[in-house]
């Protein structure tokens, strides 16, 4: 029996070693891609390699990384700024970035949290799952945050190479010449005009109701308490959203009211730009949820003006900062 086990071990050892080194080679090269997986790798690399270390960080979904220009904030406030918005994901994965940021970087002084109607929702499928491929082997943080989604199996996190089976595009990308980083400090404005996305949505359904996820709400409150204990200031921002798109979400007022509740409970400023003039002009959007580059940089300027007046660099020390509604101008 011992001889048999020894023979099996000698047979498997080279396979295990080859698998490990092949996995490492593919993953190391895939991380360098700036065109694959919605261009998320440069941001993940900066978080994991400890290259954020910024006074101000921006959290949120695609409405964060497409709407808020960190370079403009840095230049105006003389404060290092980085945008950690993650495409297509709600707070569950935004919190993963937060926890990995604190693990590998100095803590920020201020978090600008970009909220939207999706923030406290949780869907079944792991959107853009390829962004996790180079980092997930033996990484418990990523496993714990993503295993509840339809995307990967447990063995994908534990056995080298397994997760790359059926991922031919990822493997091919790892072998290609790498493009330059297009997201600047996590931000990339979209030079696009209004498209047909909203019309297609209206044809498909009369309106849409966002389902709030109880577990995500619990995590959200945990995050708020965690930041309070670590003396990290938070700023809620709801960036402009095309007015007709706002009406399309049936329970939007309920969601906004929930954010207002947390704003008051934790004394967090809430800059709600839903009624800002940008929200009424289609030329600043490429669909109902997303500003184009022109709109994003106009909005960032407005946000900077609000920060200068009400928030930065002054600490929040009393009443009067719990909520700030931005009205139509």
């Amino acid at each position: 029996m011992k001889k048999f086990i020894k023979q099996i071990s000698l047979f498997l050892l080279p396979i295990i070693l080859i698998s490990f080194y092949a996995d490492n080679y593919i993953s190391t090269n895939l991380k360098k891609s700036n065109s694959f997986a919605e261009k998320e790798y440069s941001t993940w690399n900066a978080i994991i390699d400890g290259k954020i270390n910024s006074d101000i960080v921006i959290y949120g979904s695609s409405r964060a990384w497409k709407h808020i220009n960190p370079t403009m904030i840095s230049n105006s406030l003389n404060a290092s700024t980085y945008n950690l918005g993650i495409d297509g994901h709600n707070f569950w994965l935004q919190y993963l970035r937060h926890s990995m940021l604190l693990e590998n970087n100095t803590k920020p002084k201020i978090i600008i949290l970009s909220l939207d109607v999706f923030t406290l929702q949780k869907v079944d499928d792991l959107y853009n799952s390829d962004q996790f491929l180079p980092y997930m082997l033996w990484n418990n943080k990523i496993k714990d945050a993503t295993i509840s989604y339809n995307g990967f199996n447990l063995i994908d996190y534990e056995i080298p190479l397994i997760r790359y089976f059926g991922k031919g595009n990822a493997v091919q990308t790892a072998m290609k010449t790498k493009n330059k980083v297009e997201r600047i400090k996590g931000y990339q404005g979209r030079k696009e005009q209004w498209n047909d996305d909203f019309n297609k949505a209206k044809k498909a359904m009369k309106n849409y109701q966002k389902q709030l996820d109880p577990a995500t709400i619990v995590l959200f409150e945990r995050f708020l308490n965690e930041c309070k204990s670590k003396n990290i200031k938070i700023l809620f921002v709801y960036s402009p959203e095309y007015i007709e798109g706002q009406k399309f979400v049936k329970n939007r007022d309920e969601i906004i009211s929930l954010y207002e509740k947390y704003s008051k409970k934790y004394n967090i400023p809430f800059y709600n730009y839903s009624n800002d003039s940008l929200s009424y002009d289609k030329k600043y959007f490429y669909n109902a949820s997303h500003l184009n580059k022109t709109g994003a940089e106009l909005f960032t300027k407005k946000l900077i003006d609000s920060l200068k007046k009400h928030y930065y660099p002054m600490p929040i020390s009393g009443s009067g900062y719990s909520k700030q509604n931005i009205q139509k101008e």
Side-chain angles (χ1 to χ4, degrees):
M1 186 66 179
K2 290 182 179 180
K3 183 178 179 182
F4 175 74
I5 293 173
K6 184 178 180 181
Q7 288 175 335
I8 290 292
S9 299
L10 290 173
F11 173 75
L12 290 177
L13 183 60
I15 297 174
I16 293 170
L17 289 174
I18 290 170
S19 297
F20 174 77
Y21 284 110
D23 187 297
N24 184 65
Y25 178 81
I26 293 170
S27 297
T28 299
N29 283 281
L30 189 59
K31 291 176 189 178
K32 299 173 185 177
S33 170
N34 296 305
S35 59
F36 194 65
E38 303 294 340
K39 307 172 186 176
E40 292 285 0
Y41 292 142
S42 60
T43 303
W44 282 116
N45 293 340
I47 293 169
I48 293 169
D49 295 341
K51 294 182 179 179
I52 305 293
N53 300 314
S54 296
D55 298 320
I56 301 173
V57 291
I58 301 152
Y59 293 178
S61 64
S62 58
R63 280 171 46 81
W65 70 263
K66 295 177 182 178
H67 286 191
I68 304 175
N69 186 325
T71 302
M72 291 175 64
I73 295 175
S74 294
N75 293 340
S76 296
L77 300 181
N78 193 28
S80 54
T81 308
Y82 208 103
N83 192 321
L84 299 185
I86 179 170
D87 194 48
H89 279 287
N90 62 11
F91 190 73
W92 202 262
L93 272 297
Q94 294 168 28
Y95 184 78
L96 171 64
R97 283 196 164 174
H98 166 74
S99 62
M100 294 179 75
L101 173 80
L102 295 187
E103 184 179 86
N104 299 294
N105 299 264
T106 56
K107 71 176 183 178
K109 296 175 183 176
I110 297 172
I111 293 171
I112 297 175
L113 180 54
S114 174
L115 301 169
D116 54 51
V117 293
F118 297 98
T119 302
L120 300 178
Q121 188 181 33
K122 192 170 186 288
V123 296
D124 294 330
D125 294 327
L126 186 63
Y127 175 76
N128 190 23
S129 61
D130 288 346
Q131 69 182 294
F132 303 105
L133 288 171
Y135 314 102
M136 59 187 280
L137 184 65
W138 305 325
N139 188 311
N140 287 329
K141 277 187 179 293
I142 291 178
K143 180 178 71 174
D144 292 344
T146 59
I147 191 65
S148 63
Y149 291 86
N150 298 327
F152 296 110
N153 297 313
L154 188 61
I155 60 171
D156 293 320
Y157 302 89
E158 305 297 342
I159 301 178
L161 277 187
I162 292 292
R163 68 195 183 284
Y164 285 113
F165 285 105
K167 297 286 186 178
N169 287 339
V171 176
Q172 289 175 23
T173 298
M175 306 303 170
K176 293 178 181 177
T177 303
K178 307 305 177 282
N179 300 319
K180 67 177 183 179
V181 175
E182 295 184 24
R183 289 199 197 180
I184 306 303
K185 295 184 178 179
Y187 164 78
Q188 186 179 23
R190 299 286 291 268
K191 295 180 180 179
E192 296 184 30
Q193 302 301 312
W194 184 262
N195 62 34
D196 202 37
D197 289 350
F198 187 50
N199 288 335
K200 290 177 181 177
K202 288 194 295 183
K203 288 178 181 178
M205 62 187 80
K206 183 179 179 181
N207 53 42
Y208 185 69
Q209 183 163 333
K210 308 296 183 184
Q211 298 298 322
L212 300 177
D213 177 57
T216 304
I217 292 173
V218 170
L219 180 65
F220 187 75
E221 277 216 76
R222 192 175 99 194
F223 162 76
L224 298 180
N225 282 302
E226 176 188 332
C227 289
K228 183 178 180 180
S229 69
K230 293 181 182 296
N231 198 29
I232 300 172
K233 306 298 183 185
I234 301 176
L235 169 64
F236 288 169
V237 172
Y238 201 108
S239 60
E241 188 174 39
Y242 185 56
I243 191 65
E244 295 302 319
Q246 295 180 33
K247 297 174 184 177
F248 188 66
V249 180
K250 187 177 181 180
N251 61 331
R252 188 177 188 277
D253 289 344
E254 173 195 351
I255 296 169
I256 295 294
S257 294
L258 186 59
Y259 296 147
E260 290 174 344
K261 169 190 164 184
Y262 288 128
S263 169
K264 291 176 182 176
K265 181 177 179 179
Y266 292 94
N267 196 27
I268 295 170
F270 181 16
Y271 295 117
N272 183 0
Y273 290 82
S274 297
N275 291 321
D276 184 83
S277 58
L278 291 173
S279 295
Y280 291 80
D281 199 331
K282 195 182 288 185
K283 72 181 181 183
Y284 296 120
F285 293 82
Y286 69 87
N287 62 26
S289 298
H290 295 95
L291 295 163
N292 57 29
K293 190 172 186 291
T294 299
E297 296 188 357
L298 283 172
F299 164 63
T300 301
K301 187 178 184 305
K302 292 187 179 202
L303 178 59
I304 289 168
D305 290 341
S306 295
L307 288 168
K308 285 180 176 178
K309 289 177 184 176
H310 304 292
Y311 195 68
Y312 189 89
M314 296 183 298
I316 301 173
S317 56
S319 61
Y321 291 94
S322 61
K323 180 176 148 186
Q324 176 75 23
N325 284 309
I326 309 299
Q327 303 299 324
K328 182 180 177 183
E329 297 175 354

